[in-house]
Amino acid sequence: MTPQYWTQATQELAACDPVMHQLIEQFPDATLVSRGCAFTTLARSIVGQQISVKAAESVWQKVIGTIPEITPYTIAATEQELLRSCGLSARKVTYLHDLSRHFREGDLNETAWEDLDDESIIKQLIQVKGIGRWTAEMFLIFHLHRPDVLPLDDIGLQRAMSLHYLDKQPVDKKIMLELAKPWEPWRSVATWYLWRSLDPLPVAY
């Protein structure tokens, strides 16, 4: 499912920023897509931590080959060594089991998220082991389709901003915030196109 705001966002970004205009033209048929399952999105985000998009996809394919139906209950019931054999570190296996527990025990209330602002959802999600601000921001972008998230700690975003805006010079958070000001209220969409410019595979969680 593509966000309803996508067309409006791309039009406004293209009009206000020459780099965005170029990237949006370069990838005319590409859009952010939700997988429609909160648990799967968070699990994929944990799997994807600190590894490339390609490596994360490879590990995830092994996970779903081992556990065809990914739910909080099937993950919880899977032995640690079996998950490790998919290419997951012991730490990530622990994180996935803790995520499963939070869903099974009802600590993560999906029906409440619609009425919460971005920061409130982040505060709730980071109570899960292994979910920090970055993972929570990926969830906001990919599952909840929040339109104005700027994940300042994301290495891919840092690289892309350096490449496209600063002639490969280093960026810091202050510079990133300044560069991203014209993108408001569509910073999630701008971020997605910058990711897309680096990877042959669209980023998806």
Side-chain angles (χ1 to χ4, degrees):
M1 187 171 61
T2 299
Q4 293 181 338
Y5 56 72
W6 197 262
T7 299
Q8 180 187 353
T10 54
Q11 289 171 349
E12 292 181 11
L13 286 169
C16 77
D17 184 320
V19 173
M20 283 294 128
H21 185 274
Q22 180 188 349
L23 292 178
I24 289 163
E25 280 199 336
Q26 189 177 343
F27 304 105
D29 300 321
T31 64
L32 183 155
V33 176
S34 168
R35 298 181 185 275
C37 173
F39 179 76
T40 298
T41 297
L42 288 168
R44 287 185 75 113
S45 296
I46 288 171
V47 169
Q49 288 172 2
Q50 299 179 322
I51 60 177
S52 71
V53 174
K54 186 176 180 180
E57 182 63 23
S58 174
V59 173
W60 186 254
Q61 288 302 319
K62 290 174 184 172
V63 171
I64 61 176
T66 304
I67 315 166
E69 187 183 3
I70 304 294
T71 72
Y73 298 92
T74 58
I75 290 287
T78 303
E79 292 293 329
Q80 181 166 336
E81 284 309 310
L82 192 55
L83 287 169
R84 288 290 309 275
S85 73
C86 298
L88 290 164
S89 66
R91 184 173 292 177
K92 286 185 181 179
V93 172
T94 300
Y95 295 164
L96 288 174
H97 280 155
D98 195 58
L99 176 67
S100 299
R101 180 179 65 79
H102 275 80
F103 270 88
R104 295 194 326 273
E105 295 178 0
D107 297 333
L108 296 178
N109 184 357
E110 295 182 56
T111 57
W113 288 332
E114 196 172 321
D115 299 322
L116 295 177
D117 63 27
D118 292 354
E119 287 301 321
S120 298
I121 295 170
I122 288 170
K123 283 179 184 175
Q124 191 181 107
L125 290 172
I126 62 176
Q127 301 308 308
V128 180
K129 284 180 188 175
I131 294 185
R133 185 175 183 89
W134 177 85
T135 304
E137 287 169 338
M138 295 305 102
F139 185 77
L140 290 174
I141 294 171
F142 286 95
H143 183 72
L144 295 180
H145 284 171
R146 296 296 172 99
D148 198 35
V149 179
L150 186 72
L152 294 170
D153 294 318
D154 187 83
I155 294 170
L157 179 60
Q158 293 167 8
R159 282 177 51 216
M161 290 177 89
S162 169
L163 175 66
H164 292 293
Y165 291 91
L166 296 167
D167 196 26
K168 300 184 181 178
Q169 295 302 304
V171 297
D172 59 30
K173 291 182 182 181
K174 185 178 178 182
I175 292 171
M176 292 171 76
L177 283 166
E178 283 295 319
L179 286 172
K181 270 186 180 175
W183 305 339
E184 295 181 25
W186 311 118
R187 291 181 298 177
S188 300
V189 181
T191 296
W192 187 90
Y193 276 101
L194 287 165
W195 283 330
R196 190 72 183 86
S197 74
L198 297 179
D199 262 302
L201 288 173
V203 178
Y205 288 105

